Amino acid sequence: MPQIAQIAETYSSQIFWLLLTFGFVFFVIGLGMVPKVQGTADARDAKITGDLDAAKAAFARADEAEADYKVRDAQNRTAAQAVVAKAKADAAKASETKLAAVDAEVAAKIAAAEARIRAASDAALAEIETVAADAARDMVARIAGVEASDEAARNAVKAALAHG
């Protein structure tokens, strides 16, 4: 078989080139490129781990800040409610003071009006007494034909008004 004989003659040359190619690939890719790729992958993993740790720390700080905010918010609400309560109390006191002043003013006006009414009533009653005394004197003069004195007519009208 001539083909087998030919393979045996070129076999050593093929093994040489095969070893040379695999050696070249091993040294160039295996020793040259793989460490660089592995270094890049390790650096990427380290960066991801660092970023995750930084994110966890940021979340923790954010939670602390939120808790502080809630505490300050509660304190501010309490302070605001106290200010509102104080303002309401002050407004109530001011309102009471104004109402007291207005009540006193109204009471004074009512007292003055009652005094005027009493004076007008007394004046009207005196006028009624005078008119009634004159009318009684005229009636006595017409009916009895006697002239009654002003004093007697007034006393009679006063007695009649007192008894109803």
Side-chain angles (χ1 to χ4, degrees), residues 19-96:
L19 289 177
L20 185 68
T21 304
F22 279 126
F24 177 76
V25 168
F26 174 76
F27 284 110
V28 171
I29 294 180
L31 297 179
M33 294 176 83
V34 169
K36 290 180 183 178
V37 170
Q38 189 64 37
T40 303
D42 290 342
R44 186 188 72 210
D45 288 344
K47 179 165 176 39
I48 290 171
T49 303
D51 290 346
L52 288 175
D53 291 341
K56 286 179 185 176
F59 278 124
R61 285 191 310 271
D63 289 342
E64 290 174 7
E66 182 180 9
D68 290 343
Y69 169 76
K70 286 181 180 178
V71 167
R72 281 193 317 265
D73 187 42
Q75 290 171 345
N76 290 339
R77 282 182 195 215
T78 303
Q81 288 172 348
V83 168
V84 167
K86 185 179 183 301
K88 282 182 181 179
D90 292 346
K93 286 181 184 178
S95 180
E96 285 180 23

